[in-house]
Amino acid sequence: MWDYHTPGIPDELFERTEDVPITKEEVRALAISKLRLKAGYSAIDVGCGSGSITVEICMQTKGQVYAIDFDNNAVELTKKNLAKFGATTAQVILGKAQDVLPTLPQVDAVVVGGTWGDARQVIQLAVERLKNGGRIVIDTILIETMYNALAVIREMLLKDIDITQVTIAKARKVTTGTMMLARNPVMMISATKAA
Amino acid sequence: MWDYHTPGIPDELFERTEDVPITKEEVRALAISKLRLKAGYSAIDVGCGSGSITVEICMQTKGQVYAIDFDNNAVELTKKNLAKFGATTAQVILGKAQDVLPTLPQVDAVVVGGTWGDARQVIQLAVERLKNGGRIVIDTILIETMYNALAVIREMLLKDIDITQVTIAKARKVTTGTMMLARNPVMMISATKAA
């Protein structure tokens, strides 16, 4: 299906449905990059949506991945995409991040995507699920989530904090030439849990 | 030094000099992603600069990489960075891309970074060095290079053409809060040589 070594599977290769969001190729490749993965690493994907990040983590690590979403359509779609890409090391869990996170073991990497109610609490719980030296990546299009994420990350004394805004535009051929179509800026915050 | 599986080595880990450019972490991670590498792949890095992309390709593929730059400072810096990261499969060549490219074997991936005189000719020669099914990625901050790259890519009947503009901003802490500092937009064109 996709046997390249590098992350950033083209969006069109994933199963999609209208009501479930996907982290698009370029933002996804950057999130995977900032997670700093190794073979065998375990991970949690909070708000897995279409499962594109879960799939990429599985392909990079072949380790145990827990994917969480509160929307059953997202859970079903994630399962479908895992099967499509032959990724067998993920467990997809239907539920609210606040309820599911405390039941999971500590992992090497956590990615928090999507948007929900209490960002501060979810990120705090996510950091608690990280092993020492583990990495967290939060990506959001919401100013409020960014603000709260940054506050929690600083309160919890994480190190190696990186804050990056990514703005992608993609070309479309029109009759008179090639124009660039803007996408929404995404804020990405990443950090390492102090050992 | 850096034993993660995923691309996107932090910029500050590379040796740097003032006069030699570096492809920064996020743009570099995206270029590697769009190259779609596999273990054992061979590659050419045209305009290797600090060697950061050459290093990342070596770490992804462990395959033969040819790095070309016309500036001896860039060649020396690339060698230094290869040694720093323990990458032993690259050959660094001092010379103009126009002269060096025709002497190289066909490879699985070519990345063209930096800027020079005749973009059209260099990209044409670069595509000729690609095996069928191989990938080319061109990244540039120049409108002229983008225009010429696109023209050549379309003339040479490459397929799966993607044109992405990436604009990165990075946070800086100031006394009153956290501000975002804009970087220059980078245009990235990637394509597959038709089999």
Side-chain angles (χ1 to χ4, degrees), chain A residues 2-10 12 25-27 29-30 32-39 41 59-61 133 135 150 154 160 162-171 173 177-178 180 187, chain B residues 2-10 12 25-27 29-30 32-39 41 59-61 133 135 150 154 160 162-171 173 177-178 180 187:
Chain A
W2 183 261
D3 60 352
Y4 295 100
H5 191 85
T6 41
I9 301 167
E12 59 271 23
E25 181 177 337
E26 288 83 9
V27 171
L30 286 177
I32 296 291
S33 164
K34 292 191 183 294
L35 278 177
R36 300 180 189 167
L37 301 172
K38 290 186 194 179
Y41 266 23
M59 294 178 76
Q60 292 294 317
T61 65
R135 295 275 299 169
L150 194 50
R154 285 185 177 147
D160 202 6
D162 177 88
I163 303 162
T164 300
Q165 183 180 266
V166 188
T167 308
I168 298 292
K170 303 289 285 190
K173 251 184 140 168
T178 307
M180 299 305 294
M187 294 291 290
Chain B
W2 183 260
D3 59 353
Y4 295 101
H5 191 85
T6 41
I9 302 168
E12 59 269 23
E25 180 178 336
E26 288 83 10
V27 171
L30 286 177
I32 295 291
S33 165
K34 291 188 182 297
L35 278 176
R36 300 181 188 168
L37 301 172
K38 290 186 194 179
Y41 266 20
M59 293 179 76
Q60 291 296 317
T61 64
R135 297 275 298 168
L150 194 50
R154 285 185 177 147
D160 201 5
D162 176 89
I163 304 162
T164 301
Q165 182 180 266
V166 188
T167 309
I168 298 291
K170 302 291 284 190
K173 252 183 140 167
T178 307
M180 299 305 294
M187 294 291 289

Side-chain angles (χ1 to χ4, degrees), chain B residues 46-92:
Chain B
V46 180
C48 57
S50 301
S52 65
I53 286 190
T54 300
V55 166
E56 298 252 24
I57 296 174
C58 287
M59 293 179 76
Q60 291 296 317
T61 64
K62 318 271 186 235
Q64 176 70 55
V65 183
Y66 304 93
I68 310 171
D69 210 290
F70 65 86
D71 175 7
N72 195 45
N73 292 327
V75 167
E76 291 307 316
L77 191 55
T78 295
K79 287 180 181 170
K80 219 178 263 183
N81 276 314
L82 285 163
K84 184 171 186 184
F85 287 90
T88 56
T89 58
Q91 187 182 334
V92 193

Side-chain angles (χ1 to χ4, degrees), chain B:
Chain B
M1 178 61 215
W2 183 260
D3 59 353
Y4 295 101
H5 191 85
T6 41
I9 302 168
D11 294 334
E12 59 269 23
L13 296 186
F14 289 96
E15 297 292 322
R16 305 276 295 273
T17 60
E18 250 179 50
D19 54 337
V20 179
I22 184 169
T23 303
K24 294 218 176 69
E25 180 178 336
E26 288 83 10
V27 171
R28 188 173 359 107
L30 286 177
I32 295 291
S33 165
K34 291 188 182 297
L35 278 176
R36 300 181 188 168
L37 301 172
K38 290 186 194 179
Y41 266 20
S42 55
I44 301 173
D45 182 359
V46 180
C48 57
S50 301
S52 65
I53 286 190
T54 300
V55 166
E56 298 252 24
I57 296 174
C58 287
M59 293 179 76
Q60 291 296 317
T61 64
K62 318 271 186 235
Q64 176 70 55
V65 183
Y66 304 93
I68 310 171
D69 210 290
F70 65 86
D71 175 7
N72 195 45
N73 292 327
V75 167
E76 291 307 316
L77 191 55
T78 295
K79 287 180 181 170
K80 219 178 263 183
N81 276 314
L82 285 163
K84 184 171 186 184
F85 287 90
T88 56
T89 58
Q91 187 182 334
V92 193
I93 304 163
L94 176 66
K96 288 173 83 172
Q98 290 90 326
D99 302 329
V100 178
L101 279 170
T103 71
L104 297 179
Q106 284 197 316
V107 294
D108 300 292
V110 178
V111 57
V112 182
T115 56
W116 59 85
D118 194 340
R120 216 176 252 257
Q121 193 202 354
V122 170
I123 294 165
Q124 212 156 9
L125 289 169
V127 171
E128 281 166 12
R129 288 305 89 206
L130 266 188
K131 296 179 189 170
N132 286 336
R135 297 275 298 168
I136 185 164
V137 172
I138 301 151
D139 66 273
T140 181
I141 51 172
L142 296 185
I143 292 167
E144 292 80 2
T145 303
M146 188 59 208
Y147 170 81
N148 284 307
L150 194 50
V152 172
I153 292 289
R154 285 185 177 147
E155 271 164 34
M156 296 187 87
L157 298 175
L158 297 181
K159 61 178 189 179
D160 201 5
I161 300 173
D162 176 89
I163 304 162
T164 301
Q165 182 180 266
V166 188
T167 309
I168 298 291
K170 302 291 284 190
R172 178 189 288 176
K173 252 183 140 167
V174 292
T175 46
T176 48
T178 307
M179 67 172 286
M180 299 305 294
L181 287 181
R183 291 192 181 155
N184 300 325
V186 177
M187 294 291 289
M188 196 175 289
I189 176 165
S190 56
T192 304
K193 188 163 178 177

Side-chain angles (χ1 to χ4, degrees), chain A residues 165-193:
Chain A
Q165 183 180 266
V166 188
T167 308
I168 298 292
K170 303 289 285 190
R172 178 188 288 176
K173 251 184 140 168
V174 292
T175 45
T176 47
T178 307
M179 67 172 287
M180 299 305 294
L181 288 181
R183 290 191 181 157
N184 300 324
V186 176
M187 294 291 290
M188 197 175 287
I189 174 164
S190 56
T192 304
K193 188 163 177 176

